[in-house]
């Protein structure tokens, strides 16, 4: 794997320098190392080249564009072909933004893809999420690159990739949308020699964390709205548990919901562990939220995730939760691991019974995030 710049050693996203040109490159007006431009000398040549692929190298692509632009400009058109030249030049101009961006934005190249990096999307406990895009079969695809802030956390990013692959192969396909989708996982060595393990993920559009939902409802969320989020969360956990995985970090910032679609995605699987093994890493700022078996490094179980999920929901509703729901939640956060519910699917059925007693038959309840 190679990189045309050193974009990953600057998680804050301040680095904006593009690829460095080598001494062997000619000025932008020359063919230089652009073999595709060597035989483009006439208007007809340029028209034919417009339908072909541009060079893969960003600077060669810019050079190729400029050659075509000179030949296809309406002012340079052969007699009687000004309209044809104008249409061709417009098509070429539509590609200009893309080729110009490729030449100036920081990039990371793997064996299969070339990612053009965008701004930082978010910064978490372990990693920075950075927007990116790449080309696949001529189409632009969006991605999010998850980059560890410290190289010492490379193993956790690699572990997350292994967990997501396990969910792909072992988890039930009908529930696959409850976790992020891995595009690829790779090691990137910066120009200063620092190596980081990076996970490329499919972006999640239109989602909000439960932390954002709570912040938008400081008086507590209506329990009828919290109900569908709780149900989706238990489904996500039940799905992971059937794959014999404990998420180990079910915190508000790791639970994303889609308001309009009532969707949910459980993210940040770096902390996941197999049944009967301990959670590998604790998030210090959530230390008080963990059930006793986690700081004591005892084996985790589905009851571990159920405890953390129940805390998320309880904090989300605050004092608005009715008494029967508060009692239900208390049973999920008992100190004794064995005394807590052990099966997320069974707990979901019991929750449905409780919700029907409280609110009647289940119906779709529209939800929207307020503008704050």
């Amino acid at each position: 794997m190679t990189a045309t710049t050193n974009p990953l050693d600057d998680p804050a996203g301040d680095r904006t320098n593009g690829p460095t040109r080598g001494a062997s490159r000619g000025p932008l007006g020359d063919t230089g190392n652009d073999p595709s431009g060597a035989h483009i000398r006439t208007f007809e040549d340029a028209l034919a080249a417009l339908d072909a692929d541009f060079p893969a190298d960003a600077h060669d692509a810019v050079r190729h564009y400029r050659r075509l632009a000179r030949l296809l400009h309406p002012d340079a058109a052969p007699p009687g072909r000004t309209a044809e030249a104008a249409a061709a030049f417009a098509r070429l101009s539509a590609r200009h933004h893309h080729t110009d961006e490729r030449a100036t934005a920081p990039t990371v190249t793997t064996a299969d893809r070339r990612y053009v990096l965008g701004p930082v999307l978010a910064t978490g406990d372990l990693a920075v999420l950075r927007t990116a895009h790449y080309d696949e079969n001529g189409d632009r695809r969006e991605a999010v690159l998850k980059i560890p802030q410290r190289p010492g956390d490379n193993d956790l990013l690699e572990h997350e990739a292994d967990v997501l692959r396990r969910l792909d192969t072992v988890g039930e396909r009908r529930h696959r949308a409850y976790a992020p989708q891995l595009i690829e996982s790779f090691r990137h060595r910066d120009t200063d020699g620092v190596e980081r393990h990076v996970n490329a993920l499919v972006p999640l559009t239109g989602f909000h964390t439960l932390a954002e939902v709570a912040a938008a409802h400081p008086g507590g969320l209506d329990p009828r709205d919290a109900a569908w989020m709780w149900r989706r969360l238990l489904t996500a956990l039940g799905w992971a548990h059937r794959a014999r995985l404990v998420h180990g970090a079910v915190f508000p910032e790791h639970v994303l919901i889609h308001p309009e679609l009532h969707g949910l995605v459980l993210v940040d699987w770096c902390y996941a562990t197999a049944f009967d093994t301990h959670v590998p890493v604790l998030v210090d700022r959530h230390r008080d939220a963990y059930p006793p078996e986690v700081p004591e490094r005892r084996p985790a179980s589905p009851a571990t995730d159920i405890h953390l999920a129940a805390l998320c929901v309880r904090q989300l509703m605050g004092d608005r939760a009715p008494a029967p729901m508060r009692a239900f939640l208390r049973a999920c956060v008992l100190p004794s691991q064995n005394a807590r519910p052990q099966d997320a699917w069974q707990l979901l059925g019991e929750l449905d019974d409780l919700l029907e007693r409280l609110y009647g038959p289940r119906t779709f309840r529209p939800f929207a995030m307020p503008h704050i």
Side-chain angles (χ1 to χ4, degrees):
M1 173 179 29
T2 60
T4 56
T5 183
N6 183 13
L8 300 186
D9 65 350
D10 183 18
D14 293 332
R15 184 180 298 276
T16 57
N17 56 300
T20 302
R21 291 186 195 164
S24 62
R25 297 185 183 274
L28 283 177
D30 299 340
T31 56
N33 292 329
D34 175 19
S36 63
H39 303 293
I40 302 175
R41 302 181 183 279
T42 68
F43 181 77
E44 298 294 345
D45 293 340
L47 283 178
L50 186 58
D51 294 320
D53 291 336
F54 274 35
D57 179 84
H59 287 285
D60 287 344
V62 170
R63 187 179 299 109
H64 187 67
Y65 160 79
R66 294 192 177 195
R67 174 176 287 273
L68 296 183
R70 287 198 305 273
L71 294 170
L72 294 175
H73 195 281
D75 291 345
R81 305 186 72 177
T82 302
E84 185 181 5
F89 191 80
R91 288 175 56 203
L92 178 65
S93 298
R95 302 180 72 170
H96 172 63
H97 174 74
H98 177 57
T99 55
D100 185 59
E101 180 183 55
R102 288 170 57 196
T104 58
T107 60
V108 172
T109 302
T110 72
D112 299 318
R113 296 170 181 85
R114 182 176 182 275
Y115 296 96
V116 179
L117 274 63
V120 170
L121 182 65
T123 301
D125 298 291
L126 295 177
V128 170
L129 298 179
R130 190 160 183 177
T131 59
H133 67 265
Y134 61 96
D135 287 340
E136 186 170 83
N137 299 323
D139 294 328
R140 171 171 165 148
R141 306 286 187 186
E142 302 299 324
V144 171
L145 299 190
K146 187 172 183 178
I147 307 162
Q149 298 186 63
R150 297 169 293 276
D153 291 328
N154 281 342
D155 58 333
L156 292 175
L157 272 292
E158 190 170 5
H159 173 66
E160 178 180 49
D162 290 339
V163 168
L164 293 176
R165 292 190 190 102
R166 178 173 177 82
L167 290 171
D168 273 337
T169 56
V170 178
E172 294 176 270
R173 294 297 304 168
R174 64 192 177 115
H175 297 309
R176 183 59 188 83
Y178 283 103
Q181 182 178 343
L182 183 71
I183 299 171
E184 65 174 326
S185 186
F186 58 91
R187 284 188 174 267
H188 169 85
R189 187 179 297 278
D190 293 337
T191 54
D192 59 3
V194 176
E195 189 174 75
R196 287 182 172 86
H197 196 99
V198 180
N199 290 340
L201 305 166
V202 175
L204 296 169
T205 304
F207 284 81
H208 300 269
T209 69
L210 288 192
E212 293 171 334
V213 175
H217 298 83
L221 186 65
D222 190 311
R224 294 169 295 176
D225 293 319
W228 69 259
M229 302 176 195
W230 194 359
R231 295 189 73 259
R232 300 292 191 276
L233 183 52
L234 287 176
T235 301
L237 293 177
W239 169 63
H241 296 163
R242 279 185 179 167
R244 299 192 63 78
L245 290 169
V246 175
H247 183 274
V250 188
F251 301 121
E253 65 270 23
H254 296 162
V255 182
L256 277 60
I257 61 101
H258 194 291
E260 293 82 10
L261 301 178
H262 281 204
L264 181 143
V265 179
L266 187 56
V267 303
D268 212 342
W269 293 81
C270 295
Y271 311 92
T273 190
F275 279 15
D276 302 322
T277 62
H278 65 267
V279 175
V281 178
L282 275 67
V283 181
D284 284 339
R285 60 195 174 92
H286 288 301
R287 184 172 292 272
D288 293 341
Y290 287 105
E293 64 267 19
V294 176
E296 294 172 7
R297 297 183 67 81
R298 290 191 276 113
S301 70
T304 305
D305 281 343
I306 288 172
H307 176 286
L308 294 171
L311 283 184
C312 284
V313 175
R314 187 169 72 181
Q315 294 166 2
L316 194 60
M317 292 186 292
D319 295 334
R320 298 189 65 176
M325 197 173 286
R326 291 198 299 270
F328 193 94
L329 285 163
R330 279 196 300 271
C332 296
V333 296
L334 294 171
S336 171
Q337 186 176 8
N338 292 332
R340 283 178 241 134
Q342 306 291 318
D343 186 325
W345 294 111
Q346 180 178 339
L347 187 63
L348 176 59
E350 295 171 0
L351 174 62
D352 283 343
D353 291 341
L354 171 64
L355 293 174
E356 186 168 2
R357 291 196 302 271
L358 288 172
Y359 304 114
R362 190 164 71 244
T363 59
F364 183 84
R365 179 179 166 85
F367 180 73
M369 283 286 286
H371 297 286
I372 58 174

